[in-house]
Amino acid sequence: MVLEHKPDWIVFTGDQTMVKESPKLYKDLGTYMGQFKSPWSFIFGNHDTDEGIAYEELIEAVKDSNYLAFKTGNPQFGYSNYFIEVKDKKLTKGLFFLMDSHVDAFYMIDQKPTWGYGSLKEEQLLWMDSVINQYQTPFEKGPSSLLFCHIPPYEFKTISPENKHEYIGTFNESPCTPPVKNTMMDILNRSKSCKGIFVGHDHYNDYAFKLDNILLAYGRVSGHYDYGPKKNKKGCRVIEFNHDGEINTFISIA
């Protein structure tokens, strides 16, 4: 995929590993990616710290990798919270946010604590909003932004596989999202900066659809080990971000 598309930037959307040897594998991944001489980034998924592995171990193992664009976030909100500024000469054209969707949590549903997959916390979303506001003025709307996280937000449940006119791509499993909606869309709609939300987590899905003029899209499973039939070919999602801050995106199969 890298050799075919020659990307300016590569993003891994979580679950790079899920074994006790994760620190070694992170180091190996960093060595492997360095050969392509393309900037690359990652966020943590809900399995990278399986087997009792600490986030700090993974960061330490990969931190010296060539071409790695990773910043350690505030551990209170997740270790992989940071943003990449995209410039054309001196003018900022885009803000790409990578945010930690955590592992799991308990949510109050019908007055009962109920287990569910992790989600973006309101504090993270407000941080994103505050960064975007720094680039906006009364006379200019500021740069467009993209958001990358591992676990799909609840809004990925707002369409169904039967309604094929609502989405583009493959919809083969029920989205494994948090069980309740949060304030994400309200916060993102405030600045009208976000053009797309890109996620991983569900290996059978690569569909995309629009909600409130924001594209919500899965990537494409690309790992050596994953659940699903062998006929489910590996690939990636290609995102083209133009100088006007608009995006075009499609799935590419290996």
Side-chain angles (χ1 to χ4, degrees):
M1 293 289 94
V2 174
L3 295 176
E4 177 180 348
H5 296 289
K6 298 178 176 59
D8 297 305
W9 182 47
I10 302 163
V11 182
F12 290 94
T13 53
D15 282 1
Q16 284 73 240
T17 61
M18 56 178 297
V19 292
K20 63 181 179 180
E21 296 87 4
S22 288
K24 178 187 181 302
L25 294 179
Y26 258 75
K27 187 175 182 64
D28 292 345
L29 176 63
T31 301
Y32 179 76
M33 292 305 298
Q35 69 179 304
F36 298 111
K37 299 181 180 180
S38 292
W40 63 285
S41 303
F42 69 89
I43 42 181
F44 290 118
N46 59 307
H47 285 298
D48 292 285
T49 54
D50 282 0
E51 307 293 337
I53 303 299
Y55 290 108
E56 292 91 343
E57 293 180 72
L58 302 178
I59 294 170
E60 181 65 25
V62 77
K63 70 176 185 179
D64 295 326
S65 303
N66 291 331
Y67 299 95
L68 175 63
F70 175 85
K71 303 171 188 175
T72 304
N74 183 340
Q76 184 178 355
F77 307 134
Y79 282 83
S80 52
N81 287 302
Y82 56 105
F83 70 95
I84 304 293
E85 187 176 9
V86 181
K87 288 189 173 185
D88 178 14
K89 297 179 181 177
K90 292 186 178 182
L91 187 62
T92 300
K93 289 291 187 176
L95 298 170
F96 297 168
F97 290 86
L98 295 92
M99 296 215 280
D100 201 321
S101 53
H102 313 286
V103 176
D104 54 13
F106 281 90
Y107 303 84
M108 292 302 296
I109 301 176
D110 295 330
Q111 298 183 331
K112 295 179 181 179
T114 304
W115 180 91
Y117 281 109
S119 59
L120 298 175
K121 297 181 179 181
E122 186 174 37
E123 294 91 342
Q124 293 171 272
L125 295 162
L126 291 174
W127 165 75
M128 176 180 175
D129 190 50
S130 69
V131 172
I132 291 171
N133 286 337
Q134 293 174 27
Y135 289 84
Q136 294 180 328
T137 70
F139 309 103
E140 296 203 13
K141 66 175 183 178
S144 296
S145 60
L146 303 180
L147 168 58
F148 298 83
C149 61
H150 177 68
I151 297 172
Y154 180 86
E155 283 76 9
F156 276 75
K157 286 183 180 290
T158 58
I159 62 170
S160 60
E162 296 80 19
N163 298 330
K164 296 185 181 298
H165 65 283
E166 295 180 343
Y167 63 91
I168 297 174
T170 303
F171 194 146
N172 283 334
E173 66 176 305
S174 179
C176 294
T177 74
V180 295
K181 187 185 297 188
N182 62 11
T183 58
M184 182 189 75
M185 293 303 294
D186 293 334
I187 294 173
L188 294 183
N189 285 329
R190 189 182 302 166
S191 66
K192 302 188 183 304
S193 164
C194 186
K195 300 296 183 181
I197 302 170
F198 300 94
V199 304
H201 195 50
D202 297 329
H203 298 191
Y204 280 175
N205 295 334
D206 67 14
Y207 66 81
F209 68 102
K210 277 203 168 185
L211 180 66
D212 293 350
N213 292 317
I214 299 175
L215 183 74
L216 278 65
Y218 281 99
R220 177 80 182 191
V221 66
S222 58
H224 288 290
Y225 171 81
D226 63 276
Y227 65 80
K230 293 181 180 179
K231 67 178 181 179
N232 195 40
K233 294 182 179 179
K234 308 301 173 63
C236 70
R237 176 172 289 280
V238 179
I239 304 168
E240 299 170 343
F241 186 86
N242 66 31
H243 286 266
D244 295 324
E246 298 299 325
I247 57 174
N248 177 53
T249 180
F250 59 91
I251 293 293
S252 181
I253 302 298

